[in-house]
């Protein structure tokens, strides 16, 4: 039992289950299958965005522009759908992914080619992409009556009891797991963040790995832009404001090391679901939005402390093992 509790993902899953059960004392239907499906659906966009953020963080970087990327891409495809009603939905989705990937590539190029720190680059592009959204739309909104029925309706269509939005999130989870576990890029991403110097000696192009991580993060942000606009049936400049912090929080809570090289897909998903459960439950039991922000902040700080202690302990174990082997050899 003690070994099980040392596993970050299992412990986090047990905490989420415990939270759900405790919230049912105030809202008996909170743990019903329909309610749980709604929580997953509400968290789907955060899951997609957080998985892109996770890949960037694994390479010892961070992307603070994901929400601004989402906002610009969502505005762009909403305006295209409104202006050209006959445009196929599949083409609009592909354009959203392509636009998001292009914005991510700008971040990656600045980090790779110009060697600018990722936090500086993405803090700047966060503002730029938000400004681009305003310039593109002239500050106007695109409302539901201006969008086509299929543009709004497809992500909401139920399939096997879940909306397509939820199935898209599940597909992205499987895709990112496959990329990180079964492709050379996945191994390069872990190596680039875990020990960049050793990765270079092993023949891994650390800059290229970071560039591709930003492109992947941008592509998922672009996909999230379409999903956000279609789900909430509105596009405006400030959509998803602050959502970049939620994506980082989901990663940190899920055990992704800000120092890079450590983390799992399931941990990120559980971190996002943890935030999703909190945000869905606290209004039900009468907690104010300001208290929700404070609680989320406290959880993030505790998660960072937990991660730091775990990594420090792991480092001590490695050093102890090396010392033991040295003494044995002597």
């Amino acid at each position: 039992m003690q070994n099980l509790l040392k596993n970050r993902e299992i412990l986090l899953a047990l905490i989420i289950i415990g939270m759900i059960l405790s919230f049912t004392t105030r809202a008996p239907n909170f743990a019903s299958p329909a309610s749980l499906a709604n929580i997953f659906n509400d968290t789907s966009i955060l899951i997609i965005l957080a998985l892109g953020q996770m890949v960037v963080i694994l390479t010892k970087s961070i992307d603070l522009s994901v929400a601004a990327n989402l906002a610009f891409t969502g505005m762009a495809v909403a305006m295209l759908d409104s202006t050209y009603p006959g445009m196929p939905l599949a083409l609009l989705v592909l354009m959203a992914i392509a636009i998001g990937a292009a914005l991510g590539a700008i971040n990656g190029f600045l980090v790779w080619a110009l060697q600018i720190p990722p936090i500086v680059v993405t803090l700047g592009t966060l503002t730029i992409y938000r400004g681009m959204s305003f310039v593109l739309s002239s500050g106007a909104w695109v409302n539901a009556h201006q969008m086509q029925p299929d543009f709004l309706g497809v992500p909401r269509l139920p399939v096997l009891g879940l909306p397509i939005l939820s199935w898209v999130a599940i597909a992205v989870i499987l895709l990112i797991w496959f990329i990180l576990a079964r492709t050379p890029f996945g191994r390069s991403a872990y190596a680039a963040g875990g020990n960049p110097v050793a990765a270079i000696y092993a023949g891994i192009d650390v800059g290229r790995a970071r560039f591709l991580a930003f492109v992947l993060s941008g592509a998922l942000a672009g996909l999230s832009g379409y999903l956000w606009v279609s789900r909430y049936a509105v596009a405006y400049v400030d959509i998803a404001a602050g959502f970049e912090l939620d994506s980082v929080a989901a990663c940190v809570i899920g055990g992704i090391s800000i120092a890079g090289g450590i983390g799992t897909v399931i941990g990120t998903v559980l971190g996002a679901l943890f935030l999703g459960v909190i945000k869905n439950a606290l209004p039900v039991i009468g907690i104010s939005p300001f208290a929700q922000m404070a609680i989320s902040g406290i959880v993030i700080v505790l998660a960072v402390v937990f991660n730091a202690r775990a990594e420090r302990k792991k480092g001590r174990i490695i050093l102890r093992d090396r010392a033991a082997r040295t003494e044995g050899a002597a």
Side-chain angles (χ1 to χ4, degrees), residues 37-38 40-42 44-45 48 77 81 89-90 92-93 96 147-170 222-233:
N38 284 334
F40 183 83
N41 194 57
D42 287 343
S44 292
I45 296 175
I48 295 170
V77 294
D81 182 66
L89 178 60
L92 286 170
V93 174
M147 304 178 197
Q148 302 309 303
D150 62 337
F151 184 89
L152 296 174
V154 169
R156 307 169 191 226
L157 290 176
V159 176
L160 300 177
L162 289 175
I164 287 180
L165 172 58
S166 295
W167 288 111
V168 170
I170 292 170
L223 174 62
S224 299
Y226 161 68
L227 294 173
W228 184 292
V229 170
S230 64
R231 172 167 174 72
Y232 296 106

Side-chain angles (χ1 to χ4, degrees), residues 74 182 324:
R182 295 288 186 267

Side-chain angles (χ1 to χ4, degrees), residues 101-122:
L103 298 181
I106 293 172
N107 291 334
F109 176 79
L110 294 173
V111 171
W112 179 18
L114 302 184
Q115 300 292 307
I116 304 174
I119 192 169
V120 175
V121 169
T122 57

Side-chain angles (χ1 to χ4, degrees), residues 73-95:
T73 307
M75 177 64 75
V77 294
M79 291 180 68
L80 282 170
D81 182 66
S82 174
T83 307
Y84 304 102
M87 187 173 289
L89 178 60
L91 178 59
L92 286 170
V93 174
L94 289 175
M95 290 179 68

Side-chain angles (χ1 to χ4, degrees), residues 274-301:
F274 181 93
L275 292 176
V277 169
I278 287 180
K279 290 187 177 183
N280 278 270
L282 296 186
V284 172
I285 61 177
I287 303 295
S288 74
F290 298 103
Q292 293 175 44
M293 293 172 62
I295 292 170
S296 297
I298 291 169
V299 169
I300 293 168
V301 171

Side-chain angles (χ1 to χ4, degrees), residues 2 30-31 33 36 38 41 57-58 72 79 95 103 110 118 129 155 160 167 183 192-193 251 253-254 265 270 324 330:
Q2 188 175 1
F30 190 78
L36 296 178
N38 284 334
N41 194 57
I57 292 175
L58 283 177
F72 176 79
M79 291 180 68
M95 290 179 68
L103 298 181
L110 294 173
Y129 297 162
L160 300 177
W167 288 111
T183 67
C251 292
I253 293 169
V265 169
L270 289 172

Side-chain angles (χ1 to χ4, degrees), residues 25-49:
T25 60
R26 296 286 299 273
N29 293 328
F30 190 78
S32 67
S35 175
L36 296 178
N38 284 334
I39 291 173
F40 183 83
N41 194 57
D42 287 343
T43 315
S44 292
I45 296 175
L46 176 57
I47 289 173
I48 295 170
L49 211 61

